[in-house]
């Protein structure tokens, strides 16, 4: 039984604040070990990566076998059923269509001073996607990371995916091929992150690393940040469902459980304006927990971090939701668009009871890599923007410099940056000369 | 005399690689001290902030005097000359006009499956801008940080600026007022970052912290990242000037020196296709160094990190520039637009010799907070986007769910996420019932 809170109760604010402040993840401190691994890979390159892969993944590789060959990939992909392939292709098409609309436009204009200003976007040259091995090896995550990179125009896109004991998920290889990944390295952990960031003789360095991973991977991403760009460091998954009484308790229970089954640290919260409906959902969760394959995980998550919050009305639900800033937010109410207008912080919103969150995990189109742990207050899900960067452009004419240069000179002097001021003054003085000699007329 | 390299020389590639890999900053390891300060502020709140301000800034404050009063700000602002005020207002107007064009648009569409998809942008609720005290207290940086936040729609915008010995820069207060900052706290260092991230009785917490600072501030920003959003951790400033022989060596020398005077760790590089012009610029730099107030700083930067690179042609210059990925790039050539087309990585491009980089520091319009240390390969300057976040939207109709739901179910099963599949299946089964009973028809 999860927490059952009612906003009308005297102790609600304290209980809700405790729920907000709840620490659901106790990451082991692997920073020293990770620092040593990164130093080893920087020092010994391929030899270190190979030794660490033998140690951690019980797999003997050589520089020539660090990446899967096309033949190996063909053989693995042949194992995938036609139905699974069709589902992956449907997902890839829809994710591509959604993300293609995210491409921002370059801008350039000339203002009243005569200055030409603007910016333009360009892709990072090379990106590396980390894909966990074992149970958490999700082909859907390959699509969600690789497709925005391809849409952005990344030239070289590689995957690092550990294959403990040599075992690989064929769907991960198929998803990589569908998404246009160039190379799949069968390496993992901090050694993979270090190899992607610094490069080895066999593995060229990338500019950006994205994708989820365990504590070693997360610590390594933090350490190489600055050398390369990284995406967010994701925490355990969360869902908030706001549902009125006109819902099927089974549907809502399954939506809550589909977060809970991810991880014992996942969090599923229901807000409803009807206490009886809340209790019906709790009963439905208990019923489904009897039969779920992952009932141990889902049950622990629901028991330790789950909550049902009975609110006075939907407006109050929106206010509380904004304090939570949930990663996933389902609005199963009669007018979900109206309620959505009151939502200021959420990673992804699912409108109406016909939109279970699981649709968004796979085939909806929007990205499933979303801000966790209240970070939707200040950050966004993965997008094409994560694989682009912007260069600003400025061009002055002599007239533009005459108009705004003196202001720059004045501010430079006020900040005691004399050379800044002189670099403007030298040009303004030239403009004030009546006949600049041709030999020193500047170009551009 | 800086390094003088010629691409035609045998040793060029090694020398250029060494230049690229040069470590210009040796940040002291203050992480343990910063961790203790953050813990103290989380524990004791205002009392810790006040004690640390007394210790580091020799300034006795109370909760009531942590922020400047309006009366104090009025009195300080009255000291600013009309010329300085006009220059700040010109800069603010131009920065505002540029950044207003960055506001992204929300999108929503319905696709062929009947799914309504899209996203919308919203501002972070509260942002804190760090402004260093003392020599590096730049009013222009207040404008460059605060104006994008205001354009984004941030509701509460505060500045933290230490005032060692009680001394404040009136221009910082004026810039804060012009930019619409709500509150200026006279606190600094790791204690200011901790107070902004976690809040105290007097200082409400913010969602995003931006702005430059010393090693303590940088370490504190790294530590509070996740609790709040942060901007980049900026390294020492850099400029690359690509100039042909038809330039005035004095202009180019002053442009190089206007980076060098920032910091002994700053880096100024000239690329030219004319060795004689390169030598003329070196001579001009030496001449100007005789007279500059900050000649000790600028001279050290130029001697230790400066470089002149003689290239075969401008195409080669573009290729080398992209390996550097400079923060600032001046193109002082006869057709700067054509050369700019070859540039793939740069924080900001200044086109033509009438556009000294100093214009971009103050009044050009684009932001002067830019990616350093080769990070223009994967990141962008500060913008309105840094104060916005995106929420994705998805809404299925029954028909849309019938079209794409089976694919989601299939992928859920392939990833062994049973509840995900069941949450879709329960809805699909309803659709397959001929007459769903009214009582369990779902809303939305």
């Amino acid at each position: 039984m999860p927490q059952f809170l009612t906003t009308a109760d005297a102790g609600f604010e304290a209980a809700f604040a405790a729920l907000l402040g709840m620490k659901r993840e106790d990451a082991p401190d692997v920073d020293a070990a990770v620092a040593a691994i990164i130093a080893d890979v920087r020092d010994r390159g391929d030899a270190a990566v190979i030794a660490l892969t033998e140690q951690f993944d019980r797999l003997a590789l050589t520089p020539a076998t660090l990446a899967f060959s096309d033949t190996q990939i063909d053989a693995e992909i042949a194992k995938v059923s036609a139905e699974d392939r069709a589902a992956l292709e449907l997902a890839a098409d829809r994710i591509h269509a959604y993300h293609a609309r995210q491409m921002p436009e370059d801008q350039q204009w000339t203002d009243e001073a005569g200055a030409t200003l603007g910016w333009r976007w360009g892709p990072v040259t090379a990106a590396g996607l980390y894909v966990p091995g074992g149970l958490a090896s999700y082909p859907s995550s390959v699509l969600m990371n690789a497709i925005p990179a391809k849409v952005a125009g990344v030239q070289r896109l590689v995957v690092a995916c550990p294959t403990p004991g040599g075992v690989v998920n064929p769907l991960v290889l198929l998803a990589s091929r569908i998404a246009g990944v160039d190379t799949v390295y069968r390496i993992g952990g901090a050694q993979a992150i270090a190899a992607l960031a610094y490069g080895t003789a066999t593995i060229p360095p990338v500019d950006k690393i994205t994708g989820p991973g365990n504590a070693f991977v997360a610590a390594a991403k933090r350490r190489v940040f600055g050398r390369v760009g990284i995406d967010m460091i994701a925490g355990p998954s969360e869902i908030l469902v706001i549902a009125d009484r006109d819902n099927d308790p089974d549907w809502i229970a399954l939506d809550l459980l589909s977060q809970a089954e991810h991880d014992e640290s996942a969090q599923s919260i229901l807000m409803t304006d009807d206490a009886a409906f809340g209790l019906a959902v709790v009963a439905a969760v208990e019923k489904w927990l009897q039969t779920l394959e992952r009932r141990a995980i889902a049950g622990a998550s629901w028991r330790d971090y789950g909550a049902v919050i009975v609110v006075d009305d939907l407006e109050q639900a929106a206010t509380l939701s904004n304090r939570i800033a949930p990663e996933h937010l389902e609005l199963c109410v009669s007018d979900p668009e109206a309620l959505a207008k009151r939502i200021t912080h959420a990673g992804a919103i699912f409108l109406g009871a016909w939109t279970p969150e699981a649709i968004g995990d796979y085939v909806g189109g929007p990205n499933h890599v979303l801000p966790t742990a209240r970070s939707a207050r200040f950050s966004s899900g993965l997008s094409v923007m994560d694989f682009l960067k912007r260069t600003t452009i400025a061009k002055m004419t002599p007239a533009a410099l005459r108009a705004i240069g003196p202001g720059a000179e004045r501010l430079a002097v006020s900040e005691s940056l004399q050379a800044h001021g002189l670099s403007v003054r030298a040009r303004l003085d030239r403009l004030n000369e009546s006949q600049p000699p041709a030999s020193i007329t500047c170009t551009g």
Side-chain angles (χ1 to χ4, degrees), chain A residues 320-409:
Chain A
L320 294 175
S321 175
N322 290 334
R323 288 176 65 190
I324 293 173
E327 181 190 12
H328 304 100
L329 175 61
E330 277 189 20
L331 303 180
C332 299
V333 297
S334 62
D335 188 351
E337 286 83 0
L339 186 55
K341 287 205 174 76
R342 297 182 179 275
I343 300 300
T344 51
H345 307 312
I349 299 179
F350 303 87
L351 293 167
W354 290 104
T355 318
E357 185 276 330
I359 287 292
D361 282 339
Y362 297 112
V363 297
N367 211 287
H368 78 194
V369 181
L370 292 166
T372 58
R374 306 189 61 219
S375 63
R377 290 177 297 124
F378 54 81
S379 64
S380 310
L382 197 70
S383 79
V384 169
M385 311 292 280
D386 288 281
F387 299 96
L388 295 170
K389 66 268 184 331
R390 188 184 50 242
T391 298
T392 62
I393 310 276
K395 181 176 188 177
M396 301 295 128
T397 57
L401 195 72
R402 200 195 297 269
I404 69 173
E409 185 186 19

Side-chain angles (χ1 to χ4, degrees), chain A residues 77 82 97 123 189 211 221 228 281-282 323 349 371 383 392 398 406 444:
Chain A
I77 285 178
K221 281 171 67 181
V228 298
V281 171
V282 169
R323 288 176 65 190
I349 299 179
S383 79
T392 62

Side-chain angles (χ1 to χ4, degrees), chain A residues 68 76 79 161-164 166-170 172-173 186:
Chain A
F68 282 103
E76 291 294 333
K79 301 175 186 167
C161 179
T163 56
V167 177
V168 64
N169 180 348
V172 163
L173 294 179
R186 47 196 315 169

Side-chain angles (χ1 to χ4, degrees), chain A residues 34-326:
Chain A
V34 164
I37 289 171
I38 293 174
D40 192 19
V41 172
R42 291 186 67 175
D43 187 33
R44 294 197 297 142
D46 284 338
V49 173
I50 288 168
L52 290 159
T53 302
E54 183 138 19
Q55 180 185 341
F56 291 117
D57 295 342
R58 308 169 309 284
L59 182 67
L61 297 175
T62 67
T65 60
L66 278 172
F68 282 103
S69 68
D70 283 347
T71 316
Q72 287 173 315
I73 294 175
D74 289 340
E76 291 294 333
I77 285 178
K79 301 175 186 167
V80 177
S81 72
E83 292 80 2
D84 280 348
R85 177 188 283 267
L88 270 183
E89 285 171 348
L90 169 73
D93 286 349
R94 294 188 56 84
I95 296 164
H96 191 282
Y98 183 92
H99 288 79
R101 290 179 178 251
Q102 290 180 330
M103 276 298 283
E105 291 192 355
D106 298 345
Q107 283 208 38
Q108 189 167 305
W109 66 93
T110 301
D111 68 17
E112 64 285 357
T116 298
L117 302 173
W119 62 80
R120 55 174 213 220
W121 294 93
V124 302
T125 302
L129 315 180
Y130 191 85
V131 180
L135 260 188
S137 174
Y138 295 138
S140 58
S141 290
V142 175
L143 301 181
M144 291 290 181
N145 279 272
I147 291 172
K150 289 301 281 190
V151 169
V154 171
Q155 286 168 33
R156 186 167 58 85
L157 185 58
V158 306
V159 158
C161 179
T163 56
V167 177
V168 64
N169 180 348
L171 284 165
V172 163
L173 294 179
L174 179 56
S176 298
R177 181 163 288 178
I178 290 172
V181 169
D182 297 298
T183 309
V184 179
Y185 298 105
R186 47 196 315 169
I187 59 176
Q191 58 274 21
I193 302 298
L196 291 174
Y198 290 98
T200 70
T202 305
I203 303 171
V206 301
D207 303 296
K208 177 107 186 185
I209 299 175
T210 70
N214 63 16
F216 283 82
V217 171
K221 281 171 67 181
R222 275 189 193 274
R223 280 203 162 254
V224 302
F225 174 55
R227 170 80 187 195
V228 298
I230 63 169
D231 62 342
M232 69 198 81
I233 308 280
S237 196
E238 321 143 358
I239 192 170
L240 169 61
V241 180
I242 301 178
D244 61 27
R245 77 179 73 180
D246 298 326
N247 279 278
D248 185 328
D250 278 329
W251 295 15
I252 304 303
L254 286 166
D255 296 351
L256 295 168
L257 286 168
S258 65
Q259 286 307 301
E261 74 176 342
H262 267 297
D263 187 342
E264 292 181 2
S265 304
Q267 183 168 50
S268 304
I269 300 176
L270 169 66
M271 281 188 200
T272 180
D273 55 359
D274 185 303
F277 177 76
L279 288 168
V281 171
V282 169
V285 168
E286 296 302 328
K287 178 190 73 182
W288 284 103
L289 273 175
Q290 309 293 315
T291 64
L292 280 188
E293 285 153 22
R294 295 170 72 107
R295 58 182 169 272
I297 293 170
S301 159
W302 180 241
R303 178 188 69 235
D304 293 342
Y305 304 118
V308 175
I309 300 175
V310 180
V311 294
D312 295 341
D313 52 37
L314 295 179
E315 185 170 339
Q316 190 180 45
T319 302
L320 294 175
S321 175
N322 290 334
R323 288 176 65 190
I324 293 173

